[in-house]
Amino acid sequence: MKRKQIGMLIFLAVIVVLLFVTANTPGVVTDPENYQCSVYATVFALLPPVIAIGLALITKEVYTSLLAGIITGGLLYSNFNLELMIGTIFFQEDGGMVYKLADAWNVGILVFLVMLGILVSMLNKAGGSAAFGKWASKHIKTRIGAQISVMVLGILIFVDDYFNCLTVGSVMRPVTDRHKVSRAKLSYIIDATAAPVCIIAPISSWAAAVTSSVPEDAGINGFAVFLQTIPYNLYAILTLVMVLLVTVLRVDFGPMKKHEMNAIAGDLFTTPGRPYEGNEEEAVNDKAHVLDLILPVAVLIASCIVAMVYTGGFFDGASFVDAFAASDASVGLVLGGAVTLVFTFIYYMMRDVLSFEEFAKCIPEGFQSMIAPILILTMAWTLSGMTNLLGAKYFVADLVANSASAMQGFLPMIIFLVAAFLAFATGTSWGTFSILIPIVIGVFPEGQMMVISIASCLAGAVCGDHCSPISDTTIMASAGGHCEHVNHVVTQLPYVLVVGSVCMVGYLLIGILKAAGLDAVVWLTLPVCIVILCAVLCVIRAKTGGKEEI
């Protein structure tokens, strides 16, 4: 009780100090274009995401952790004026929550989330999920087969990471549940085959984002450079190798091992937090067929791809690749989701596996099932906005620019580390490489070193984004796997760190080979890294004893 009283006294003292500061400082920004807070572009600009991420990992509670980070960012931006802080958090045009929710791209993603929730509810009520699960249980006999199937489907859906996360989870969750694969492991495989696949897929929304990050005045074909970076994107390739190896070798470590052992014993969640448990009941329908799931999902994939190239001008004469490069993924996903819902409704009514009353119930149920990811996404976007208002990206960019000339031999590794940290702190890959790629091109305007450095930037951005609790892709993977968000973050973090460490060695090796003038053998780095990763996992397996297979 004394500890609580001391805590409350400290809290009240802080409020009194903030009220004093508020009374003696302006509560509005009179010149928004020239306003800068006292910590702008300093190391303190990274404090909000550090606080949010640290609290999330310590307390295992994501909502209040994100809120604490947002409040910290608002206080720093307002120079501790409470009135200005509140206005900043909600109404600042470049980072406030209201403006983040008013952004057309963000709203499109939220609408697609709700549409997918409705679709999943329809699949369950019509019995399509149960029918597919029964069919898959006859053809997928083992836990290894179930996990490999998730990986394969994740690789096949390479168009967009959001689309990948939610679709793969919806389709494969009944299969992994039947083979007692933990929700944490399912979410990890989904996450590991989302951004890492998209960043090496020439036809994807990520390829378009990388292409657009190349400055127009650089005289460089951005798409051609992107293609050249694929063999040097060590993190993306090694992550896929990692998923394959941990599945085939049956090696799990860290918190994931506990989740997997509990899943084998019958507990797919391990922790009390089960935010989607009430939305997972599968109806048993004698009329249901496996096509009742496969056909709507196939229509979803096809309609989203067509809608994305439509937004990029494919039907106005643009080539398929150019249309993808110019596509609006948010609009495309909403259009594809709407077409799929209409198709599925008509198809189920004709098949007589779903009544109109049941369809009507799917709408609020689908929305309800997506409340958790919507809340987390909203706060993650706001936290990212606060971090940008504090100039964190400029602080990190200056670090890279200042160290570039002095440490060119180590630059690929340095860029990888800086990109990973920036993506981890801000929760965005696209923002990271849009900042760093122009800097890299400024240091290496042409040649193989430019390609390698851009590849290390892309690899680091995906690495940091992959394990960041405030990353939208991480949040989507949790939603797709119906896993408690903090569980997903904590269990996959050791896996990301292992792959990231091997990548650091790889990029250091590339720098050494380049410095020694051995440009012709730089390609050996990837196979060397794969061998190192295999050796590390074998050692971990020997230390942990693997795990029992059923």
Side-chain angles (χ1 to χ4, degrees), residues 27-377:
V28 294
V29 176
T30 55
D31 187 8
E33 293 184 2
N34 298 315
Y35 175 81
Q36 284 188 358
C37 60
S38 58
V39 300
Y40 187 81
T42 67
V43 67
F44 293 102
L46 296 171
L47 194 58
V50 169
I51 288 176
I53 293 167
L55 285 176
L57 296 177
I58 293 170
T59 65
K60 306 294 189 293
E61 212 292 307
V62 68
Y63 300 107
T64 53
S65 300
L66 287 171
L67 187 59
I70 291 170
I71 292 173
T72 302
L75 284 172
L76 291 174
Y77 181 78
S78 64
N79 294 319
F80 299 96
N81 182 291
L82 287 176
E83 180 185 357
L84 182 55
M85 178 204 74
I86 295 172
T88 299
I89 290 175
F90 291 104
F91 304 111
Q92 216 289 335
E93 293 185 7
D94 297 321
M97 186 178 292
V98 171
Y99 282 87
K100 287 293 181 181
L101 289 175
D103 182 82
W105 172 280
N106 292 344
V107 172
I109 297 302
L110 297 184
V111 171
F112 179 69
L113 267 174
V114 174
M115 286 181 171
L116 203 64
I118 296 170
L119 179 63
V120 170
S121 181
M122 291 171 66
L123 294 175
N124 288 337
K125 283 191 179 298
S129 297
F132 179 79
K134 183 183 291 186
W135 174 86
S137 64
K138 296 178 181 178
H139 296 82
I140 302 174
K141 303 292 185 181
T142 64
R143 297 181 79 247
I144 291 179
Q147 293 172 71
I148 293 294
S149 300
V150 177
M151 178 183 176
V152 170
L153 184 59
I155 293 173
L156 291 176
I157 303 178
F158 53 79
V159 176
D160 184 75
D161 53 330
Y162 291 176
F163 181 39
N164 178 305
C165 289
L166 297 171
T167 304
V168 174
S170 301
V171 173
M172 297 306 300
R173 197 165 51 246
V175 178
T176 55
D177 283 358
R178 278 176 168 75
H179 287 283
K180 298 184 178 180
V181 177
S182 68
R183 292 298 175 82
K185 188 64 171 292
L186 172 61
S187 295
Y188 166 67
I189 299 174
I190 292 172
D191 210 349
T193 54
V197 170
C198 291
I199 199 63
I200 56 175
I203 301 177
S204 70
S205 56
W206 284 59
V210 174
T211 302
S212 64
S213 297
V214 176
E216 294 182 4
D217 58 356
I220 298 171
N221 186 321
F223 188 73
V225 171
F226 173 79
L227 294 177
Q228 294 175 59
T229 64
I230 294 174
Y232 299 108
N233 196 324
L234 300 182
Y235 184 79
I237 297 172
L238 291 178
T239 296
L240 299 178
V241 174
M242 178 77 166
V243 174
L244 185 63
L245 289 176
V246 297
T247 301
V248 174
L249 296 177
R250 291 179 289 164
V251 52
D252 285 304
F253 52 95
M256 185 72 81
K257 184 175 179 66
K258 179 181 178 182
H259 279 255
E260 282 290 85
M261 296 304 293
N262 287 344
I264 292 173
D267 181 6
L268 299 176
F269 298 90
T270 296
T271 60
R274 307 179 183 204
Y276 302 92
E277 193 175 24
N279 304 105
E280 295 178 343
E281 296 181 3
E282 296 178 2
V284 178
N285 190 334
D286 295 334
K287 296 181 180 179
H289 190 272
V290 67
L291 282 176
D292 294 337
L293 181 138
I294 292 177
L295 202 54
V297 171
V299 171
L300 178 65
I301 295 171
S303 59
C304 284
I305 292 175
V306 171
M308 287 177 70
V309 297
Y310 164 75
T311 63
F314 177 72
F315 297 101
D316 293 327
S319 68
F320 192 78
V321 173
D322 290 340
F324 250 108
S327 67
D328 187 327
S330 178
V331 174
L333 292 177
V334 170
L335 293 176
V339 170
T340 304
L341 284 180
V342 172
F343 168 82
T344 305
F345 169 71
I346 295 173
Y347 174 69
Y348 282 172
M349 293 298 247
M350 293 180 64
R351 289 259 301 125
D352 195 25
V353 293
L354 190 74
S355 67
F356 183 82
E357 183 180 358
E358 288 173 326
F359 167 74
K361 290 181 180 178
C362 289
I363 297 174
E365 288 179 5
F367 186 93
Q368 183 181 4
S369 68
M370 290 298 172
I371 288 176
I374 287 173
L375 282 174
I376 297 173
L377 269 178

